[in-house]
Amino acid sequence: MALFINVRGVPTYAVPKVPAQEITATPARLAQGEKLAVSMCADCHLDKTSRSLTGGPMADLPPEFGKLYASNITHDPTHGIGRWTDAELIALLRTGIGRDGRYRLVMPKFVHMSDEDINSLVVFLRSNHDWVQPKAVASRPQEPSFLSKALTHTVMKPAPLPAKAIVEPAATSPVALGRYLVTARYLCYDCHSQSFQTNNLLEPEKSEGYLGGGNEFITTNGSTITSRNLTMDLETGLGDWTEEEFTRAVKYGISSRHPVRAPMPRFTLMSDEEAHAIFAYLQTVPQIKRPNRETDGAVAAK
Ligand code: HEC
Ligand code: HEC
């Protein structure tokens, strides 16, 4: 098995067939696509010096995964995604399989995202926005560790394309909308459950320790940060947080409780309606008692 994995490396699959379609670039889609790119793509793909989506090293990845680099996703035909079709982009965003069939490591899979959100992302990637103008910066080849390669043969598998159209729930049903935001649009659960290795892409709520925190990240100075418990447990979760406190922490990273450091994204473009819906949904999620190593030692010892 070990020899097999080292020789084969990261597996290749048949490229999933997304039906060819005309995606009309409306102003509403462009605005939504920009909001999604700021919230969901920039942390990995934006080069902060050139203000361009030319990618770069993944600094917060635990070293046992090897060295991985986010790709250039500007319009450049050689180094970016200028030659990808809309269908190929959608296949990658949904399943993790690239136009060459190679499985893309670490890149999140937007399995349950609405068709409208996916189309908005495509419209943004094709737009005149500064971030995506062609830049001839080569994407670095990946240097996955043995562990990463092994995981792609076991748990980190491509996701299937959705079987039917996906529509975002209306804001008049905050719990349903909140569930959509947490599991499909912003993927809060992906970072805030126990581990990427035990997350359940197809049925996010069946992920190990769903929203109870504990997933580990490495900061640029080499220390470990674990994601926080977002369930409503009073001692170790958000049980005594107000909606205002929650919204400020999520949108601006400001909290008097604990630091809110990277890789927690700043969801600055999130609407208050969305924050309200997420908070409403979190009230319904089964509570987990899981102390945070850094700050809740006293609770753990009780
Ligand atoms: C957690 C970090 C991360 C986030 C967030 C992320 N990506 Fe990626 N992305 C990567 C990495 C790493 C690769 C390269 C993976 C590989 O080659 O195995 C990649 C590859 C890609 C590719 C394939 C490019 C190519 O030439 O192979 C596209 C397209 C892409 N990302 C688009 C997006 C979009 C759009 C978003 C936001 C909706 C996004 N990514 C969010 C890390 C990320
Ligand atoms: C890329 C991974 C990642 C994603 C995606 C993510 N978070 Fe976080 N979040 C973290 C980490 C890590 C921390 C802990 C930061 C620290 O300790 O400084 C955190 C902290 C928080 C906190 C502070 C809690 C406390 O007890 O201090 C809240 C609230 C929060 N996240 C909510 C969310 C919500 C809501 C979403 C989705 C809209 C989300 N997060 C998406 C990684 C992430």
Side-chain angles (χ1 to χ4, degrees):
M1 185 67 185
L3 182 69
F4 167 78
I5 288 166
N6 246 353
V7 173
R8 281 213 43 204
V10 175
T12 296
Y13 298 86
V15 182
K17 293 248 175 319
V18 173
Q21 53 196 295
E22 193 76 45
I23 303 177
T24 314
T26 62
R29 281 185 173 156
L30 182 58
Q32 177 70 359
E34 178 173 357
K35 170 173 158 177
L36 296 175
V38 168
S39 312
M40 298 308 298
C41 320
D43 277 349
C44 292
H45 285 281
L46 184 68
D47 178 318
K48 301 216 167 50
T49 318
S50 65
R51 306 295 299 162
S52 217
L53 292 176
T54 49
M58 303 280 318
D60 52 20
L61 200 72
E64 65 261 31
F65 290 100
K67 289 209 183 86
L68 301 180
Y69 306 88
S71 325
N72 180 342
I73 55 169
T74 70
H75 296 174
D76 189 274
T78 311
H79 303 292
I81 54 171
R83 291 206 184 97
W84 291 52
T85 65
D86 290 356
E88 286 167 346
L89 280 174
I90 295 173
L92 172 85
L93 290 170
R94 291 251 187 237
T95 69
I97 301 172
R99 69 198 291 253
D100 50 4
R102 185 174 61 84
Y103 176 65
R104 298 299 191 263
L105 289 155
V106 179
M107 168 70 199
K109 282 144 218 76
F110 297 93
V111 183
H112 306 286
M113 193 179 245
S114 71
D115 297 348
E116 188 54 32
D117 274 355
I118 290 277
N119 290 344
S120 301
L121 272 170
V122 172
V123 166
F124 173 80
L125 290 171
R126 302 286 187 219
S127 73
N128 294 325
H129 194 282
D130 285 350
W131 285 7
V132 290
Q133 295 321 297
K135 288 267 162 57
V137 176
S139 293
R140 302 263 291 270
Q142 311 296 331
E143 301 164 42
S145 65
F146 178 76
L147 171 68
S148 287
K149 289 184 204 164
L151 288 173
T152 60
H153 290 268
T154 53
V155 292
M156 292 194 184
K157 294 263 190 184
L161 286 172
K164 50 183 194 299
I166 307 178
V167 179
E168 171 184 341
T172 44
S173 317
V175 172
L177 176 60
R179 175 173 179 269
Y180 172 76
L181 300 174
V182 166
T183 59
R185 177 180 290 163
Y186 296 127
L187 304 182
C188 318
Y189 90 95
D190 206 14
C191 286
H192 279 278
S193 302
Q194 193 169 301
S195 162
F196 290 121
Q197 296 180 35
T198 49
N199 279 346
N200 189 327
L201 288 186
L202 292 185
E203 295 174 277
E205 287 141 308
K206 293 194 177 154
S207 299
E208 207 66 58
Y210 180 64
L211 293 176
N215 204 349
E216 293 194 356
F217 302 86
I218 305 294
T219 61
T220 34
N221 66 23
S223 57
T224 304
I225 291 191
T226 50
S227 65
R228 297 237 166 216
N229 186 347
L230 300 188
T231 72
M232 289 297 150
D233 179 63
L234 256 182
E235 278 183 307
T236 65
L238 302 182
D240 61 349
W241 286 51
T242 64
E243 186 175 319
E244 288 67 36
E245 277 182 297
F246 173 77
T247 304
R248 262 193 338 148
V250 174
K251 288 180 69 169
Y252 308 112
I254 299 170
S255 168
S256 52
R257 308 246 182 173
H258 315 119
V260 190
R261 297 158 293 181
M264 169 66 195
R266 300 267 186 276
F267 292 96
T268 43
L269 299 182
M270 181 185 281
S271 69
D272 287 345
E273 195 173 66
E274 287 177 302
H276 171 73
I278 295 176
F279 200 64
Y281 168 64
L282 291 176
Q283 311 295 323
T284 70
V285 170
Q287 292 177 18
I288 293 176
K289 188 174 290 296
R290 200 204 60 84
N292 183 282
R293 266 213 305 251
E294 293 168 79
T295 51
D296 303 340
V299 176
K302 262 196 236 169

